[in-house]
Amino acid sequence: MTSVQGSDVDIPTEDGVADAYLAHPDDGSPHPGVLLYQDAFGIRPHLKSMADRIAAAGYTVLVPNVFYRSGRTPVFDLPEFIDPSARPEIFEQIMPVMQALTPELAMRDAGAYLRWLADSPLVTDGPVALTGYCMGARLALFTAGTYPDRVAAAAGFHGGRLATDTPDSPHLVARHVTAELYFGHADEDHSLPPEQQQRLEDALTEAGVRHTVEVYPGAHHGYTQADTSSYNKEGDERHWAALLDLLDRTF
């Protein structure tokens, strides 16, 4: 592991400016780029520590505030330890902001994030990798299908609503994906029931996408997030092994 430098950056988009966190090895050299998509709680110390850990393995990691239209980070007033069952008002704040981020807006923003990485002297030439958590897994799949020439690999962990029966479901972009994909589902996740898991698997297989889909036993939605009540240490460690393995064989 190498020492890491982290900083706040601004990314111009078609609709404004997205604030973001950037982490990279502290050696001044370019490294493969990784776009990390947040969960619903947004950029906070834990998410930055995740970016730092990926950067320490030899990558330049960008974590955009995908909710920038609703304000700069922190978008929400969150406690240090997030337990929605104890504070249900948290999701009362978050849900309208999540719902306002349509796939069309999110993919317009994704183009800006990818351009920023392509232009950064801290990022090597060529396609990048993606990793996403909760809602970020949806964004990762959408991005891999919308910008196939820019994405070499994408991972999603405890993603929800990945394969719904709506016309804007993420799994419908599978036919455009050229990246290798990895998904680590939580087995106790009401936002991704077995029928959606199967629908996603079928779509990826039919499209000929290189992919691995695994279900993590005993894990709840949000199992990688150590600052929440959903955290599962075993599932988190498995996620790190799978993610870093994907990045290693990609770059």
Side-chain angles (χ1 to χ4, degrees), residues 143-187:
T143 303
T146 305
Y147 300 94
D149 60 328
R150 291 291 301 130
V151 180
F157 299 94
H158 46 79
R161 302 182 64 249
L162 293 174
T164 69
D165 56 6
T166 62
D168 62 352
S169 176
H171 80 287
L172 297 176
V173 306
R175 64 187 183 276
H176 303 299
V177 172
T178 58
E180 180 180 354
L181 303 185
Y182 176 92
F183 290 98
H185 301 324
D187 75 338

Side-chain angles (χ1 to χ4, degrees), residues 183-220:
F183 290 98
H185 301 324
D187 75 338
E188 299 180 25
D189 191 343
H190 297 300
S191 68
L192 195 74
E195 59 268 25
Q196 284 198 42
Q197 295 179 22
Q198 189 61 53
R199 189 179 294 144
L200 174 63
E201 173 66 34
D202 291 346
L204 296 176
T205 300
E206 182 179 348
V209 177
R210 291 170 297 153
H211 69 281
T212 301
V213 177
E214 298 181 314
V215 178
Y216 290 20
H220 294 268

Side-chain angles (χ1 to χ4, degrees), residues 232-246:
N232 178 282
K233 188 175 187 294
E234 182 178 350
D236 185 34
E237 291 175 351
R238 183 176 175 182
H239 133 263
W240 279 114
L243 175 59
L244 294 175
D245 183 57
L246 176 65

Side-chain angles (χ1 to χ4, degrees), residues 23-200:
H24 57 90
D26 190 15
D27 59 7
S29 299
H31 295 269
V34 176
L35 176 59
L36 191 161
Y37 278 124
Q38 64 177 66
D39 61 359
F41 301 125
I43 301 175
R44 57 198 191 279
H46 174 65
L47 212 64
K48 290 182 177 182
S49 72
M50 294 181 74
D52 290 347
R53 181 166 175 176
I54 298 171
Y59 304 95
T60 295
V61 187
L62 182 69
V63 190
N65 168 21
V66 302
F67 294 149
Y68 71 89
R69 291 176 182 84
S70 296
R72 296 179 68 86
T73 302
V75 179
F76 310 110
D77 180 19
L78 299 172
E80 288 187 15
F81 183 77
I82 304 167
D83 182 356
S85 65
R87 288 188 55 184
E89 73 276 6
I90 292 175
F91 273 111
E92 293 176 9
Q93 300 174 41
I94 292 174
M95 288 306 296
V97 177
M98 284 183 59
Q99 292 167 354
L101 185 64
T102 64
E104 179 184 5
L105 290 177
M107 290 307 96
R108 198 154 73 206
D109 294 340
Y113 307 149
L114 293 171
R115 285 191 298 272
W116 193 95
L117 285 168
D119 292 341
S120 173
L122 295 170
V123 180
T124 53
D125 293 337
V128 304
L130 317 172
T131 185
Y133 302 87
C134 300
M135 61 165 282
R138 286 172 51 87
L139 298 180
L141 179 52
F142 271 131
T143 303
T146 305
Y147 300 94
D149 60 328
R150 291 291 301 130
V151 180
F157 299 94
H158 46 79
R161 302 182 64 249
L162 293 174
T164 69
D165 56 6
T166 62
D168 62 352
S169 176
H171 80 287
L172 297 176
V173 306
R175 64 187 183 276
H176 303 299
V177 172
T178 58
E180 180 180 354
L181 303 185
Y182 176 92
F183 290 98
H185 301 324
D187 75 338
E188 299 180 25
D189 191 343
H190 297 300
S191 68
L192 195 74
E195 59 268 25
Q196 284 198 42
Q197 295 179 22
Q198 189 61 53
R199 189 179 294 144
L200 174 63

